[in-house]
Amino acid sequence: MSEFEKSEWAEAEHAKEFMENAEIYILERKRLFSILRSFYRYFIMDNEFKGPVKVLDLGCGDGALTLELLKEDNQINATLVDGSLEMLENAGNNLKNYGGMDFVHKTFQDLLEDQLNEKDRALDSFNLVVSSLAIHHIHFEEKKSLFQYIYDHLEFGGFFLNIETIKAPTDELESWYRVLWSEWISENQEKLNANKSFQYLPEQYKDNPDNNPDKLEDQLDALKSAGFSQVDCYYKYGIFSIYGGMK
């Protein structure tokens, strides 16, 4: 049994709850998406790529990132990868009105193993690789391997952008960032008139063994080591960040 199969994300009910309540407990979710779209307009749309832009959405969930990109460019070709069949089915339903969509049922470990065994030829090269709140589930050595995988599957001039939770550089900051998150959830629950409380989530996140966040600086260094340029943190609010780089 793989690490993914042992995690809560292999459970259909957990995946369903996440999709139904993401607007409540993902801090500044709409702002994160607006930054993604701005990034696409500035760095990708004006780039002289041949043909439709090719996007790889890693840990795609219900296809939310790809849907946001389609608001800017409805001609993109996207390959969406997730280890959860429940998530992929929802992504397929959400994207059923768009052509050029491919869905791949694989975990990050599957991708890395396929590359090692030279079995991933179906995943060609891409102009943009995106991910959201998925990579923090793997350990740092796997993150480094995945960053190299992403670099190897990008065309020159292509970008990687990751919306992700990170580990604070000190315990004191980590504690305060969870308070910030909890305060934001409380405000958002009231605005959306949510019936269920999610105040417990920041502490649950901290104690969940499926979560393996790493420090932002370490991940930026890992991107540079993989070969990326223009590496930076593009946005940050507590433990939530957007970072990436260019090939």
Side-chain angles (χ1 to χ4, degrees), residues 13-30:
E13 188 60 32
H14 179 81
K16 181 174 182 290
E17 183 183 55
F18 176 86
M19 290 183 290
E20 289 177 348
N21 298 289
E23 290 292 343
I24 295 175
Y25 54 65
I26 296 178
L27 194 151
E28 289 285 284
R29 190 174 191 237
K30 291 181 179 179

Side-chain angles (χ1 to χ4, degrees), residues 60-125:
C60 67
D62 62 355
L65 289 191
T66 296
L67 278 168
E68 290 297 316
L69 295 176
L70 285 163
K71 293 176 183 178
E72 301 296 332
D73 179 5
N74 62 11
Q75 299 300 312
I76 67 172
N77 290 337
T79 299
L80 296 94
V81 181
D82 205 286
S84 166
L85 279 174
E86 177 82 8
M87 288 292 196
L88 277 180
E89 288 172 2
N90 280 278
N93 289 331
N94 290 334
L95 295 163
K96 63 185 178 181
N97 294 326
Y98 297 94
M101 301 291 121
D102 291 319
F103 301 91
V104 179
H105 181 218
K106 287 183 183 292
T107 66
F108 293 147
Q109 290 85 358
D110 291 335
L111 292 179
L112 296 175
E113 184 178 345
D114 285 353
Q115 184 180 44
L116 187 65
N117 297 324
E118 298 186 345
K119 291 175 9 186
D120 68 338
R121 296 307 178 207
L123 293 185
D124 198 2
S125 58

Side-chain angles (χ1 to χ4, degrees), residues 32 35-36 39 56-59 65 108 128-138 143 146-147 150 159-166 214 216 219-220 223 228 232-236 239-245:
L32 296 172
I35 293 172
L36 168 71
F39 186 95
L56 175 61
D57 189 344
L58 293 174
L65 289 191
F108 293 147
L128 175 65
V129 178
V130 294
S131 187
S132 176
L133 303 178
I135 293 176
H136 72 271
H137 293 301
I138 60 178
K143 287 186 180 77
L146 185 64
F147 293 162
I150 292 168
F159 279 86
F160 167 51
L161 185 143
N162 188 23
I163 298 173
E164 192 52 279
T165 55
I166 58 173
D214 287 291
L216 176 61
Q219 295 181 77
L220 297 182
L223 287 177
F228 284 94
D232 202 3
C233 174
Y234 308 133
Y235 174 83
K236 185 177 181 298
I239 67 168
F240 289 80
S241 71
I242 303 177
Y243 65 82

Side-chain angles (χ1 to χ4, degrees), residues 165-211:
T165 55
I166 58 173
K167 183 178 180 180
T170 67
D171 291 340
E172 290 84 0
L173 284 172
E174 183 78 24
S175 179
W176 177 48
Y177 290 163
R178 288 198 302 275
V179 171
L180 278 177
W181 186 7
S182 181
E183 290 172 347
W184 189 88
I185 289 174
S186 179
E187 294 171 5
N188 212 31
Q189 283 181 167
E190 293 177 6
K191 291 177 183 177
L192 297 176
N193 295 317
N195 295 322
K196 183 177 179 180
S197 174
F198 292 94
Q199 292 298 107
Y200 63 88
L201 190 66
E203 290 302 315
Q204 186 186 61
Y205 167 88
K206 175 178 69 75
D207 297 330
N208 190 336
D210 290 341
N211 297 326

